[in-house]
Amino acid sequence: MLAELYQFSQQFQLSPLGYGESLAIYEINLDRNRISLLTTEHKTTNKKGEEKITYSFGKRLMLPDLPRNSDNPILIADAGEYLFGFGERGKRRQELYRALLEQCHLATSEPLVKAVIDYLNQANPEEILEELKHLEYAPKNSALGERDKFVFVYYSQDEDKCLVTNLPSVQKFWAKYFTQKQETIDGECILTGESKPILINTFPGKIKGVPNTQTTGAAISSFDKSAYQSWGWSGNDNAPIGFDTATGILKAVELLLSSDHHHHRFGDQMFLFWGDHNQEGINPQVWNDPEAAQLAGLFTGIDAASPENAINTKDPYSSNFYLGVLKGNSGRVAMNGINRITPQEISANVSRFCELQKYFDNWVKPIWVFRNAAFLDPNKEYTTRIDSALMGFVLLGKELPDEYAQKLLNRICVVQDTFKSQDRAKALLFYTQQPDMDEPKDVIAYRLGRIAFLMHMAQMKGRQQDKEDTNVTRSLKTLSSTPSQIFGRLYPGCYVHHLQALEGMGYLKHLLDQEFVHVNPEDLPDNFNLRQQSLFFIGFAKMRSEFFTKKDKSNPSEQQEQ
């Protein structure tokens, strides 16, 4: 996966070396000598199509960045303890920060860097705190202004507001400083085969936004612990990666995580996807409305020539499309694998995902519904294996594992499911991959499921009950797995006590007669395997769907008796 990400990075003009996306809270305007809060606008649309706008504190910006576990200042854009000396560690950190600013000014002679120095020299920490109190922002986990990031802005000749950290001279200085901070030796990069400076222990940056990692980010690879010293290897011997190669990889991940067309969080994993030519991403609408996403266009490309990475759908699709998985693991980012496929295959797989759902009704639901369908409480119970399996099914066309079907069957039997919602039935159809059955026992299982529903409805109507609690629903586990042991006790009760004893049951009798054309009760097997158990419940749900579908009143045999 590292190699594919590095190749991806070579097709873009990426952000400056040593820069990464960071959350800034405060903005210091050098022209107006004023501090203000940064905010981010969020637009959402409800089911009625009404647009709602909300705001959150802070704004994610591309700023100088540096992995730090101690007192390492970051150029210009840093926290209040570095700028103003806030907090217990403030005095030491402020000294280091001011020294770095002076070093930058000495190397660049940049007037705006001098303006930053002058502002800080004149700033009174107590007055700054009073100014911050009036901004109505209170951090959750630290003292006011202490660990929140400040950025400096100015107005250009065109009256555009600009970040001081975006000045070319500042970027050049920070790139050199950032490089000098890295521990490298000469060697051969395992990914490119080129002789170049090789990282000794850790990547020159962290990845932010992966589930189960800190907000400050996590390392994508590191060999600085004793656990990595085995087979005579230590440090970079484990995987000698060039400094510029590692930087490209980090920038590639950063770019993918900044575009909702190129990443999607599903459970505790982050899925990344991109094409090898036009770097297509997937229309994010697919995660909530897959059918609408297909109509609008499942794939979108990045126009690399645009500084805004604007969406461009005119270029041809890539020949290869990559899907990688990231997962946070004990302060590290683990790469859980990568798959290569064509965009055309993904489109066909998503179409199949939608088509299978329509076997029961016209509702096409998103992928997360079918993860939740397998569990009583998905917030506590779902696993990464199920998430990975569902993503593999929808995008890659992979078969779903037995584990998934077993969890669905367990839930159906525990809650005595009668499929008012078709979610679990659709999920079982994904597992079997087809509504058509070739094996005789498959047909028996499917038809027995249809018969079971009709027996269930016979008791419901015979007893005139609203609650769907019948002998059939209480026996679903046994009936679906060992049919010969239980069917002989259930059917006579249904037939004698309800179908024969009561009037107005002609429609149910008619439907049962149709099903028994395909199934002889004497042929019921002792056991159904997992696939056949799934087909039993698919038959149950399909019969329910047909039963409550409006009938053609011109045909008496098609009318449901009330």
Side-chain angles (χ1 to χ4, degrees):
M1 184 172 175
L2 291 175
E4 286 84 359
L5 286 169
Y6 177 66
Q7 291 300 319
F8 175 71
S9 73
Q10 299 307 290
Q11 302 175 49
F12 287 93
Q13 183 177 355
L14 299 169
S15 58
L17 181 61
Y19 278 59
E21 193 177 72
S22 298
L23 181 67
I25 300 295
Y26 299 107
E27 174 186 276
I28 300 176
N29 192 313
L30 293 172
D31 295 309
R32 299 176 179 176
N33 199 32
R34 188 178 66 188
I35 301 176
S36 57
L37 265 177
L38 289 168
T39 58
T40 299
E41 181 182 283
H42 305 279
K43 292 182 180 180
T44 56
T45 304
N46 62 22
K47 293 181 179 180
K48 296 181 180 180
E50 300 169 336
E51 189 176 84
K52 181 180 179 181
I53 298 177
T54 58
Y55 294 89
S56 61
F57 291 117
K59 190 171 186 178
R60 303 201 74 85
L61 301 169
M62 197 60 63
L63 301 170
D65 199 9
L66 187 70
R68 59 184 180 189
N69 296 315
S70 58
D71 301 329
N72 289 323
I74 294 175
L75 184 64
I76 299 176
D78 212 332
E81 56 186 348
Y82 283 90
L83 273 69
F84 306 109
F86 295 156
E88 295 179 359
R89 303 169 296 186
K91 183 176 181 180
R92 169 63 179 163
R93 294 189 166 185
Q94 185 181 37
E95 291 175 356
L96 294 170
Y97 176 81
R98 297 293 181 88
L100 177 60
L101 277 179
E102 293 290 351
Q103 185 181 346
C104 178
H105 182 245
L106 183 63
T108 63
S109 300
E110 178 59 62
L112 284 163
V113 176
K114 181 63 165 59
V116 172
I117 294 172
D118 291 343
Y119 173 88
L120 294 173
N121 286 336
Q122 297 169 12
N124 183 313
E126 293 181 357
E127 294 178 356
I128 294 294
L129 280 175
E130 286 299 317
E131 189 172 353
L132 297 182
K133 289 178 183 178
H134 289 88
L135 296 178
E136 298 182 354
Y137 168 74
K140 295 181 179 179
N141 302 316
S142 63
L144 183 64
E146 184 176 329
R147 299 184 185 178
D148 293 318
K149 184 159 290 191
F150 292 75
V151 295
F152 287 86
V153 299
Y154 67 97
Y155 285 98
S156 67
Q157 293 181 347
D158 298 327
E159 294 299 316
D160 292 327
K161 190 186 293 184
C162 306
L163 288 167
V164 174
T165 48
N166 283 350
L167 293 168
S169 59
V170 172
Q171 292 178 347
K172 184 177 179 181
F173 169 83
W174 181 250
K176 183 177 180 180
Y177 180 88
F178 180 83
T179 302
Q180 291 171 345
K181 282 285 185 180
Q182 310 307 315
E183 296 181 278
T184 62
I185 61 172
D186 292 335
E188 182 177 301
C189 177
I190 193 174
L191 296 178
T192 67
E194 299 172 346
S195 296
K196 57 178 65 177
I198 300 295
L199 295 170
I200 292 179
N201 287 319
T202 61
F203 261 51
K206 294 183 177 181
I207 295 178
K208 300 173 184 177
V210 177
N212 295 329
T213 60
Q214 296 179 345
T215 55
T216 55
I220 198 172
S221 175
S222 63
F223 304 108
D224 55 343
K225 308 297 182 185
S226 59
Y228 306 116
Q229 298 177 11
S230 58
W231 300 93
W233 291 352
S234 64
N236 68 299
D237 293 334
N238 289 271
I241 298 176
F243 168 69
D244 61 344
T245 307
T247 301
I249 291 168
L250 288 170
K251 293 297 181 184
V253 175
E254 187 178 84
L255 177 60
L256 294 170
L257 291 177
S258 68
S259 165
D260 60 359
H261 292 259
H262 290 82
H263 77 274
H264 178 65
R265 176 175 179 170
F266 194 45
D268 284 339
Q269 296 179 103
M270 185 68 75
F271 291 82
L272 307 178
F273 21 83
W274 69 95
D276 65 354
H277 168 64
N278 193 39
Q279 297 84 40
E280 290 92 6
I282 296 177
N283 184 343
Q285 192 177 10
V286 75
W287 312 118
N288 291 313
D289 191 344
E291 201 167 30
Q294 283 192 303
L295 292 173
L298 191 58
F299 295 94
T300 51
I302 290 180
D303 181 4
S306 168
E308 302 298 329
N309 291 326
I311 296 302
N312 175 8
T313 58
K314 296 181 180 179
D315 290 346
Y317 286 149
S318 300
S319 56
N320 291 312
F321 198 88
Y322 297 98
L323 293 99
V325 187
L326 302 179
K327 183 182 179 184
N329 180 16
S330 300
R332 299 287 183 267
V333 174
M335 293 190 170
N336 282 13
I338 187 169
N339 291 276
R340 184 171 65 182
I341 192 172
T342 67
Q344 291 79 8
E345 288 174 311
I346 290 181
S347 182
N349 293 332
V350 173
S351 294
R352 178 66 169 163
F353 172 64
C354 296
E355 289 168 5
L356 285 172
Q357 296 193 50
K358 292 182 179 180
Y359 181 68
F360 295 101
D361 53 39
N362 289 322
W363 294 101
V364 175
K365 296 189 177 181
I367 183 174
W368 59 265
V369 169
F370 302 105
R371 176 238 279 158
N372 294 0
F375 305 100
L376 291 169
D377 185 353
N379 292 323
K380 295 181 179 179
E381 297 181 81
Y382 74 80
T383 66
T384 57
R385 292 192 302 275
I386 297 302
D387 291 339
S388 296
L390 282 168
M391 289 292 281
F393 166 71
V394 175
L395 298 182
L396 305 175
K398 293 184 176 181
E399 292 184 358
L400 288 166
D402 291 348
E403 177 189 10
Y404 180 57
Q406 191 62 66
K407 288 182 179 297
L408 288 164
L409 295 175
N410 290 343
R411 182 175 181 186
I412 289 169
C413 294
V414 166
V415 300
Q416 300 179 15
D417 205 328
T418 57
F419 297 107
K420 285 184 178 180
S421 165
Q422 304 285 10
D423 298 346
R424 284 179 283 286
K426 291 181 178 182
L428 288 172
L429 193 60
F430 300 155
Y431 169 70
T432 61
Q433 291 256 10
Q434 57 180 8
D436 301 323
M437 287 70 69
D438 298 323
E439 296 294 328
K441 287 180 70 173
D442 289 355
V443 175
I444 293 173
Y446 174 77
R447 292 291 176 177
L448 184 60
R450 295 171 65 88
I451 290 169
F453 171 76
L454 294 173
M455 293 194 302
H456 162 70
M457 287 306 300
Q459 181 172 330
M460 287 277 296
K461 287 183 171 293
R463 295 181 177 179
Q464 298 182 344
Q465 63 186 59
D466 296 325
K467 186 178 180 181
E468 298 203 32
D469 178 21
T470 64
N471 292 335
V472 173
T473 60
R474 291 191 292 271
S475 304
L476 284 176
K477 185 174 182 63
T478 307
L479 187 57
S480 64
S481 57
T482 55
S484 63
Q485 297 179 26
I486 189 69
F487 182 80
R489 294 197 294 271
L490 287 177
Y491 183 70
C494 160
Y495 192 80
V496 173
H497 294 293
H498 303 302
L499 290 180
Q500 297 293 341
L502 299 173
E503 295 183 0
M505 304 292 275
Y507 180 66
L508 280 170
K509 292 177 186 177
H510 168 72
L511 293 178
L512 277 168
D513 288 341
Q514 287 184 325
E515 295 305 319
F516 278 116
V517 170
H518 306 280
V519 177
N520 184 341
E522 295 180 359
D523 295 334
L524 292 180
D526 292 335
N527 298 285
F528 282 145
N529 62 27
L530 192 62
R531 171 180 168 78
Q532 290 152 6
Q533 291 175 54
S534 300
L535 290 170
F536 172 91
F537 286 110
I538 289 172
F540 192 105
K542 181 62 173 173
M543 188 69 251
R544 182 183 179 104
S545 176
E546 294 173 3
F547 188 83
F548 289 111
T549 298
K550 188 175 182 179
K551 306 302 183 296
D552 182 2
K553 294 185 177 181
S554 64
N555 186 350
S557 66
E558 292 292 317
Q559 296 183 38
Q560 178 176 339
E561 298 182 25
Q562 302 297 321

